[in-house]
Amino acid sequence: MVLLESEQFLTELTRLFQKCRLSGSVFITLKKYDGRTKPIPRKGSVEGFEPSDNKCLLRATDGKKKISTVVSSKEVNKFQMAGQQLLHSCIKCLFISIPLGKNR
């Protein structure tokens, strides 16, 4: 899995959508991220680990290629607006206008 910056993630996500336009699926997942890269041991306590701010981990995959990014709480609004525009433009081309008959 490749960890990218926010802008790079959006461009790679656009490429994934374009690649899977005719056939295939793109899966996007979102979860809270506290900055840990190693699992927490079952017994014992973790000393002195305090996350500085809340972060989100976003992952996208088409089954073959996996990309991910970490978005901090300070830049989540900017990322959300850019992601919304991206999703809207990619989903927009899925809707095909079907001409209705004269009876309808």
Side-chain angles (χ1 to χ4, degrees):
M1 185 172 306
V2 181
L3 185 65
L4 302 171
E5 294 296 322
S6 299
E7 293 82 20
Q8 293 173 344
F9 178 80
L10 291 173
T11 57
E12 288 294 321
L13 187 60
T14 305
R15 289 182 187 154
L16 279 177
F17 278 127
Q18 289 174 354
K19 190 172 93 174
C20 296
R21 183 169 298 213
L22 297 177
S23 65
S25 301
V26 176
F27 299 98
I28 300 173
T29 58
L30 169 78
K31 67 184 258 185
K32 186 176 178 180
Y33 182 67
D34 58 1
R36 294 186 180 151
T37 57
K38 296 182 180 178
I40 303 170
R42 290 182 186 232
K43 295 183 181 179
S45 63
V46 179
E47 298 175 7
F49 184 78
E50 287 289 324
S52 59
D53 64 346
N54 293 328
K55 296 180 183 178
C56 294
L57 176 66
L58 279 96
R59 295 178 179 149
T61 182
D62 64 348
K64 297 177 184 176
K65 185 175 183 182
K66 297 179 183 179
I67 57 174
S68 63
T69 188
V70 176
V71 180
S72 68
S73 61
K74 296 174 185 173
E75 61 182 27
V76 75
N77 287 334
K78 184 177 83 170
F79 184 83
Q80 184 178 9
M81 294 301 290
Q84 178 185 4
Q85 290 174 352
L86 170 72
L87 288 174
H88 188 266
S89 66
C90 292
I91 291 175
K92 187 189 235 181
C93 52
L94 291 177
F95 298 111
I96 302 170
S97 62
I98 300 171
L100 297 175
K102 293 180 182 179
N103 296 336
R104 291 187 183 205

